[in-house]
Amino acid sequence: MSNPDSKIVEMHVVEHENERFYKISNNDLMRPFFMNIVSDANHWMFISSNGGLSAGRKNPDYALFPYYTDDKITEGADITGSKSIFRIKKEETTLVWEPFTERFNDKYTISRNLYKNLYGNKIMFEEILHDLGLVFRYQWNSSNKFGFVRKVELINHSDHDYDITLLDGIQNIMPFGVGSDLQNSTSNLVDAYKRSELVPDSGLGIFALSAIIVDRRRAK
């Protein structure tokens, strides 16, 4: 793991899971920048170096996350896309760790690194919690069969055993039937009509609207 007392921004080519990646160490010291993940199908993803993103198929009207300009996507990193929260019990102490959020920057000693493979179809975010010797990573890539694939791992490099409870997933998923124009013009109304359901037998999540929203500009 990197030395938290010597934080500088560097880029190297590294090996990860038998694949070569460009690694930017301490990328959080840089101003956020925009990237994309390439696909050989009709998937598209635009993602900020702080984790904020928009993604979908074909065009913006089939977005999985709200399709905004890059400044709004960057600003929405804490409410859109990947989200992981850990409750870590060490002896008699219980700690809460939420990687990649600014709220914990002054509470723990952390390092953040960014990886992108040489083909440009995988991006991986890494946060190291030096206080406990834990490393959290999540990765985005696209798949013809499964669409967008998110891969997550937690590594314990310490000599301690922890009792860890995890809340993990993605947030701010777009409901069906909301195009980019409607989202940009009436986003509060879209949030008000969002409905999320779980089909217990299959584990399938359904994201829909409880009522159809009419775009008055198109209805005239």
Side-chain angles (χ1 to χ4, degrees):
M1 295 190 295
S2 59
N3 183 357
D5 297 325
S6 58
K7 280 194 172 185
I8 58 174
V9 178
E10 296 180 314
M11 188 175 77
H12 301 283
V13 177
V14 299
E15 294 284 335
H16 176 71
E17 295 183 344
N18 299 317
E19 190 172 358
R20 301 184 77 186
F21 282 76
Y22 293 106
K23 175 186 177 181
I24 302 178
S25 301
N26 303 301
N27 67 288
D28 55 316
L29 300 182
M30 304 171 61
R31 180 178 178 178
F33 57 90
F34 226 44
M35 305 172 284
N36 72 323
I37 293 181
V38 300
S39 169
D40 61 351
N42 60 0
H43 298 89
W44 53 266
M45 176 179 284
F46 300 104
I47 187 166
S48 175
S49 59
N50 70 350
L53 81 163
S54 181
R57 296 184 61 189
K58 296 174 64 176
N59 57 55
D61 289 331
Y62 294 93
L64 180 63
F65 305 100
Y67 185 83
Y68 290 135
T69 54
D70 60 349
D71 59 327
K72 291 182 179 180
I73 291 175
T74 298
E75 291 169 359
D78 207 36
I79 60 172
T80 301
S82 180
K83 176 64 66 174
S84 302
I85 303 174
F86 299 91
R87 187 172 63 187
I88 306 167
K89 186 173 182 181
K90 179 185 178 182
E91 297 175 350
E92 299 302 321
T93 303
T94 300
L95 304 173
V96 175
W97 177 36
E98 187 176 338
F100 307 107
T101 183
E102 302 301 315
R103 293 190 297 273
F104 288 83
N105 285 358
D106 298 329
K107 187 173 182 180
Y108 303 123
T109 303
I110 60 174
S111 297
R112 292 171 181 159
N113 305 310
L114 179 66
Y115 302 76
K116 188 173 185 180
N117 70 338
L118 269 61
Y119 296 108
N121 61 355
K122 295 179 182 178
I123 290 179
M124 183 170 68
F125 296 82
E126 177 183 74
E127 179 165 312
I128 303 171
L129 181 60
H130 296 280
D131 305 80
L132 300 180
L134 298 175
V135 179
F136 174 71
R137 297 173 182 151
Y138 76 89
Q139 174 183 290
W140 284 109
N141 66 281
S142 62
S143 164
N144 288 340
K145 182 176 181 180
F146 299 106
F148 296 101
V149 179
R150 177 176 171 270
K151 180 180 178 180
V152 175
E153 63 178 336
L154 178 66
I155 305 169
N156 184 2
H157 285 298
S158 74
D159 296 327
H160 303 282
D161 293 329
Y162 302 115
D163 183 2
I164 299 177
T165 303
L166 166 64
L167 175 66
D168 179 79
I170 54 178
Q171 55 183 355
N172 205 13
I173 297 175
M174 292 288 291
F176 174 78
V178 179
S180 59
D181 289 342
L182 189 61
Q183 171 67 20
N184 278 280
S185 62
T186 59
S187 58
N188 282 338
L189 193 58
V190 171
D191 288 340
Y193 284 115
K194 281 182 180 179
R195 186 182 79 247
S196 303
E197 298 179 25
L198 173 66
V199 181
D201 294 338
S202 64
L204 180 68
I206 299 176
F207 302 88
L209 294 173
S210 58
I212 299 299
I213 301 175
V214 178
D215 191 338
R216 294 183 177 180
R217 296 173 301 172
R218 294 186 178 183
K220 292 181 179 179

mmCIF file of all heavy atoms in Angstrom, residues 63-88:
data_model
loop_
_atom_site.group_PDB
_atom_site.id
_atom_site.type_symbol
_atom_site.label_atom_id
_atom_site.label_comp_id
_atom_site.label_asym_id
_atom_site.label_seq_id
_atom_site.Cartn_x
_atom_site.Cartn_y
_atom_site.Cartn_z
ATOM 1 N N ALA A 63 -30.988 6.333 -21.011
ATOM 2 C CA ALA A 63 -29.962 6.447 -19.972
ATOM 3 C C ALA A 63 -30.350 5.641 -18.737
ATOM 4 O O ALA A 63 -31.510 5.623 -18.335
ATOM 5 C CB ALA A 63 -29.743 7.909 -19.594
ATOM 6 N N LEU A 64 -29.366 4.994 -18.151
ATOM 7 C CA LEU A 64 -29.562 4.269 -16.887
ATOM 8 C C LEU A 64 -29.475 5.220 -15.692
ATOM 9 O O LEU A 64 -30.141 5.028 -14.682
ATOM 10 C CB LEU A 64 -28.513 3.163 -16.762
ATOM 11 C CG LEU A 64 -28.552 2.285 -15.512
ATOM 12 C CD1 LEU A 64 -29.854 1.500 -15.441
ATOM 13 C CD2 LEU A 64 -27.360 1.338 -15.488
ATOM 14 N N PHE A 65 -28.633 6.248 -15.812
ATOM 15 C CA PHE A 65 -28.506 7.312 -14.825
ATOM 16 C C PHE A 65 -28.781 8.638 -15.529
ATOM 17 O O PHE A 65 -28.633 8.736 -16.741
ATOM 18 C CB PHE A 65 -27.101 7.324 -14.212
ATOM 19 C CG PHE A 65 -26.673 6.022 -13.610
ATOM 20 C CD1 PHE A 65 -25.832 5.158 -14.301
ATOM 21 C CD2 PHE A 65 -27.100 5.650 -12.347
ATOM 22 C CE1 PHE A 65 -25.431 3.946 -13.751
ATOM 23 C CE2 PHE A 65 -26.702 4.439 -11.785
ATOM 24 C CZ PHE A 65 -25.873 3.588 -12.489
ATOM 25 N N PRO A 66 -29.190 9.677 -14.799
ATOM 26 C CA PRO A 66 -29.537 10.950 -15.436
ATOM 27 C C PRO A 66 -28.446 11.456 -16.375
ATOM 28 O O PRO A 66 -27.263 11.466 -16.025
ATOM 29 C CB PRO A 66 -29.735 11.892 -14.246
ATOM 30 C CG PRO A 66 -30.180 10.999 -13.132
ATOM 31 C CD PRO A 66 -29.418 9.719 -13.334
ATOM 32 N N TYR A 67 -28.874 11.875 -17.559
ATOM 33 C CA TYR A 67 -27.953 12.379 -18.570
ATOM 34 C C TYR A 67 -27.863 13.896 -18.429
ATOM 35 O O TYR A 67 -28.795 14.622 -18.784
ATOM 36 C CB TYR A 67 -28.447 11.993 -19.968
ATOM 37 C CG TYR A 67 -27.496 12.380 -21.076
ATOM 38 C CD1 TYR A 67 -26.410 11.561 -21.388
ATOM 39 C CD2 TYR A 67 -27.692 13.544 -21.814
ATOM 40 C CE1 TYR A 67 -25.525 11.906 -22.408
ATOM 41 C CE2 TYR A 67 -26.821 13.889 -22.834
ATOM 42 C CZ TYR A 67 -25.741 13.072 -23.125
ATOM 43 O OH TYR A 67 -24.873 13.422 -24.137
ATOM 44 N N TYR A 68 -26.745 14.365 -17.875
ATOM 45 C CA TYR A 68 -26.525 15.784 -17.649
ATOM 46 C C TYR A 68 -25.222 16.214 -18.307
ATOM 47 O O TYR A 68 -24.484 15.397 -18.871
ATOM 48 C CB TYR A 68 -26.439 16.076 -16.141
ATOM 49 C CG TYR A 68 -27.734 15.941 -15.374
ATOM 50 C CD1 TYR A 68 -27.766 15.280 -14.138
ATOM 51 C CD2 TYR A 68 -28.917 16.489 -15.852
ATOM 52 C CE1 TYR A 68 -28.947 15.176 -13.411
ATOM 53 C CE2 TYR A 68 -30.107 16.376 -15.134
ATOM 54 C CZ TYR A 68 -30.117 15.717 -13.929
ATOM 55 O OH TYR A 68 -31.282 15.608 -13.214
ATOM 56 N N THR A 69 -24.927 17.508 -18.188
ATOM 57 C CA THR A 69 -23.626 18.016 -18.608
ATOM 58 C C THR A 69 -22.566 17.543 -17.618
ATOM 59 O O THR A 69 -22.869 17.129 -16.496
ATOM 60 C CB THR A 69 -23.640 19.549 -18.675
ATOM 61 O OG1 THR A 69 -24.091 20.073 -17.413
ATOM 62 C CG2 THR A 69 -24.585 20.034 -19.771
ATOM 63 N N ASP A 70 -21.293 17.611 -18.031
ATOM 64 C CA ASP A 70 -20.232 17.022 -17.217
ATOM 65 C C ASP A 70 -20.098 17.690 -15.848
ATOM 66 O O ASP A 70 -19.764 17.028 -14.863
ATOM 67 C CB ASP A 70 -18.896 17.034 -17.962
ATOM 68 C CG ASP A 70 -18.439 18.433 -18.344
ATOM 69 O OD1 ASP A 70 -19.251 19.373 -18.217
ATOM 70 O OD2 ASP A 70 -17.278 18.584 -18.764
ATOM 71 N N ASP A 71 -20.394 18.996 -15.735
ATOM 72 C CA ASP A 71 -20.269 19.642 -14.430
ATOM 73 C C ASP A 71 -21.310 19.109 -13.451
ATOM 74 O O ASP A 71 -21.009 18.877 -12.269
ATOM 75 C CB ASP A 71 -20.372 21.166 -14.568
ATOM 76 C CG ASP A 71 -21.693 21.610 -15.192
ATOM 77 O OD1 ASP A 71 -22.224 20.871 -16.046
ATOM 78 O OD2 ASP A 71 -22.185 22.696 -14.829
ATOM 79 N N LYS A 72 -22.537 18.874 -13.918
ATOM 80 C CA LYS A 72 -23.583 18.344 -13.042
ATOM 81 C C LYS A 72 -23.317 16.885 -12.684
ATOM 82 O O LYS A 72 -23.610 16.449 -11.564
ATOM 83 C CB LYS A 72 -24.946 18.483 -13.707
ATOM 84 C CG LYS A 72 -25.425 19.914 -13.836
ATOM 85 C CD LYS A 72 -26.808 19.975 -14.470
ATOM 86 C CE LYS A 72 -27.297 21.415 -14.576
ATOM 87 N NZ LYS A 72 -28.641 21.496 -15.195
ATOM 88 N N ILE A 73 -22.772 16.117 -13.623
ATOM 89 C CA ILE A 73 -22.440 14.723 -13.331
ATOM 90 C C ILE A 73 -21.349 14.655 -12.256
ATOM 91 O O ILE A 73 -21.429 13.853 -11.324
ATOM 92 C CB ILE A 73 -21.995 13.998 -14.609
ATOM 93 C CG1 ILE A 73 -23.196 13.822 -15.557
ATOM 94 C CG2 ILE A 73 -21.370 12.646 -14.290
ATOM 95 C CD1 ILE A 73 -22.829 13.220 -16.900
ATOM 96 N N THR A 74 -20.354 15.518 -12.371
ATOM 97 C CA THR A 74 -19.279 15.557 -11.377
ATOM 98 C C THR A 74 -19.815 15.972 -10.010
ATOM 99 O O THR A 74 -19.468 15.378 -8.982
ATOM 100 C CB THR A 74 -18.170 16.525 -11.822
ATOM 101 O OG1 THR A 74 -17.610 16.056 -13.061
ATOM 102 C CG2 THR A 74 -17.064 16.614 -10.784
ATOM 103 N N GLU A 75 -20.683 16.974 -9.969
ATOM 104 C CA GLU A 75 -21.244 17.453 -8.710
ATOM 105 C C GLU A 75 -22.156 16.407 -8.051
ATOM 106 O O GLU A 75 -22.319 16.406 -6.833
ATOM 107 C CB GLU A 75 -22.033 18.741 -8.946
ATOM 108 C CG GLU A 75 -21.159 19.937 -9.325
ATOM 109 C CD GLU A 75 -21.977 21.120 -9.810
ATOM 110 O OE1 GLU A 75 -23.227 20.994 -9.857
ATOM 111 O OE2 GLU A 75 -21.376 22.153 -10.147
ATOM 112 N N GLY A 76 -22.742 15.515 -8.853
ATOM 113 C CA GLY A 76 -23.663 14.514 -8.321
ATOM 114 C C GLY A 76 -23.036 13.189 -7.963
ATOM 115 O O GLY A 76 -23.739 12.182 -7.814
ATOM 116 N N ALA A 77 -21.716 13.160 -7.799
ATOM 117 C CA ALA A 77 -21.019 11.890 -7.546
ATOM 118 C C ALA A 77 -21.501 11.198 -6.283
ATOM 119 O O ALA A 77 -21.494 9.962 -6.202
ATOM 120 C CB ALA A 77 -19.516 12.140 -7.464
ATOM 121 N N ASP A 78 -21.934 11.952 -5.290
ATOM 122 C CA ASP A 78 -22.314 11.352 -4.007
ATOM 123 C C ASP A 78 -23.738 10.792 -4.011
ATOM 124 O O ASP A 78 -24.111 10.061 -3.092
ATOM 125 C CB ASP A 78 -22.178 12.390 -2.891
ATOM 126 C CG ASP A 78 -21.917 11.761 -1.534
ATOM 127 O OD1 ASP A 78 -21.197 10.746 -1.482
ATOM 128 O OD2 ASP A 78 -22.439 12.275 -0.530
ATOM 129 N N ILE A 79 -24.522 11.124 -5.044
ATOM 130 C CA ILE A 79 -25.916 10.680 -5.075
ATOM 131 C C ILE A 79 -26.250 9.840 -6.295
ATOM 132 O O ILE A 79 -27.386 9.380 -6.434
ATOM 133 C CB ILE A 79 -26.886 11.881 -5.006
ATOM 134 C CG1 ILE A 79 -26.651 12.824 -6.195
ATOM 135 C CG2 ILE A 79 -26.735 12.627 -3.693
ATOM 136 C CD1 ILE A 79 -27.684 13.927 -6.307
ATOM 137 N N THR A 80 -25.297 9.642 -7.192
ATOM 138 C CA THR A 80 -25.561 8.887 -8.417
ATOM 139 C C THR A 80 -24.455 7.865 -8.654
ATOM 140 O O THR A 80 -23.279 8.182 -8.517
ATOM 141 C CB THR A 80 -25.654 9.830 -9.634
ATOM 142 O OG1 THR A 80 -26.691 10.784 -9.434
ATOM 143 C CG2 THR A 80 -25.949 9.047 -10.909
ATOM 144 N N GLY A 81 -24.853 6.642 -8.996
ATOM 145 C CA GLY A 81 -23.873 5.614 -9.323
ATOM 146 C C GLY A 81 -23.524 4.735 -8.146
ATOM 147 O O GLY A 81 -24.365 4.408 -7.311
ATOM 148 N N SER A 82 -22.267 4.356 -8.068
ATOM 149 C CA SER A 82 -21.812 3.400 -7.060
ATOM 150 C C SER A 82 -21.900 3.976 -5.656
ATOM 151 O O SER A 82 -21.591 5.145 -5.417
ATOM 152 C CB SER A 82 -20.365 2.986 -7.361
ATOM 153 O OG SER A 82 -19.887 2.067 -6.406
ATOM 154 N N LYS A 83 -22.337 3.133 -4.705
ATOM 155 C CA LYS A 83 -22.388 3.540 -3.300
ATOM 156 C C LYS A 83 -22.117 2.329 -2.412
ATOM 157 O O LYS A 83 -22.758 1.289 -2.549
ATOM 158 C CB LYS A 83 -23.746 4.140 -2.947
ATOM 159 C CG LYS A 83 -23.923 4.501 -1.489
ATOM 160 C CD LYS A 83 -22.950 5.600 -1.041
ATOM 161 C CE LYS A 83 -23.222 6.919 -1.716
ATOM 162 N NZ LYS A 83 -22.382 8.011 -1.193
ATOM 163 N N SER A 84 -21.151 2.483 -1.517
ATOM 164 C CA SER A 84 -20.814 1.425 -0.559
ATOM 165 C C SER A 84 -20.596 2.055 0.807
ATOM 166 O O SER A 84 -19.895 3.062 0.922
ATOM 167 C CB SER A 84 -19.551 0.666 -0.985
ATOM 168 O OG SER A 84 -19.693 0.104 -2.266
ATOM 169 N N ILE A 85 -21.197 1.465 1.838
ATOM 170 C CA ILE A 85 -21.050 1.953 3.204
ATOM 171 C C ILE A 85 -20.721 0.755 4.092
ATOM 172 O O ILE A 85 -21.431 -0.256 4.069
ATOM 173 C CB ILE A 85 -22.329 2.654 3.701
ATOM 174 C CG1 ILE A 85 -22.714 3.805 2.765
ATOM 175 C CG2 ILE A 85 -22.137 3.178 5.118
ATOM 176 C CD1 ILE A 85 -24.034 4.450 3.109
ATOM 177 N N PHE A 86 -19.659 0.871 4.871
ATOM 178 C CA PHE A 86 -19.214 -0.210 5.741
ATOM 179 C C PHE A 86 -19.379 0.189 7.210
ATOM 180 O O PHE A 86 -19.069 1.318 7.596
ATOM 181 C CB PHE A 86 -17.734 -0.534 5.498
ATOM 182 C CG PHE A 86 -17.428 -0.996 4.111
ATOM 183 C CD1 PHE A 86 -17.067 -0.089 3.123
ATOM 184 C CD2 PHE A 86 -17.501 -2.332 3.781
ATOM 185 C CE1 PHE A 86 -16.773 -0.508 1.839
ATOM 186 C CE2 PHE A 86 -17.209 -2.771 2.499
ATOM 187 C CZ PHE A 86 -16.854 -1.852 1.532
ATOM 188 N N ARG A 87 -19.863 -0.751 7.996
ATOM 189 C CA ARG A 87 -19.844 -0.627 9.454
ATOM 190 C C ARG A 87 -18.857 -1.659 9.964
ATOM 191 O O ARG A 87 -19.071 -2.870 9.821
ATOM 192 C CB ARG A 87 -21.234 -0.840 10.043
ATOM 193 C CG ARG A 87 -21.305 -0.544 11.541
ATOM 194 C CD ARG A 87 -22.734 -0.582 12.053
ATOM 195 N NE ARG A 87 -23.294 -1.929 11.897
ATOM 196 C CZ ARG A 87 -24.564 -2.226 12.133
ATOM 197 N NH1 ARG A 87 -25.403 -1.276 12.466
ATOM 198 N NH2 ARG A 87 -24.991 -3.466 11.994
ATOM 199 N N ILE A 88 -17.779 -1.177 10.543
ATOM 200 C CA ILE A 88 -16.648 -2.035 10.910
ATOM 201 C C ILE A 88 -16.513 -2.078 12.428
ATOM 202 O O ILE A 88 -16.361 -1.039 13.079
ATOM 203 C CB ILE A 88 -15.343 -1.500 10.285
ATOM 204 C CG1 ILE A 88 -15.516 -1.330 8.772
ATOM 205 C CG2 ILE A 88 -14.180 -2.418 10.599
ATOM 206 C CD1 ILE A 88 -14.404 -0.534 8.125
#
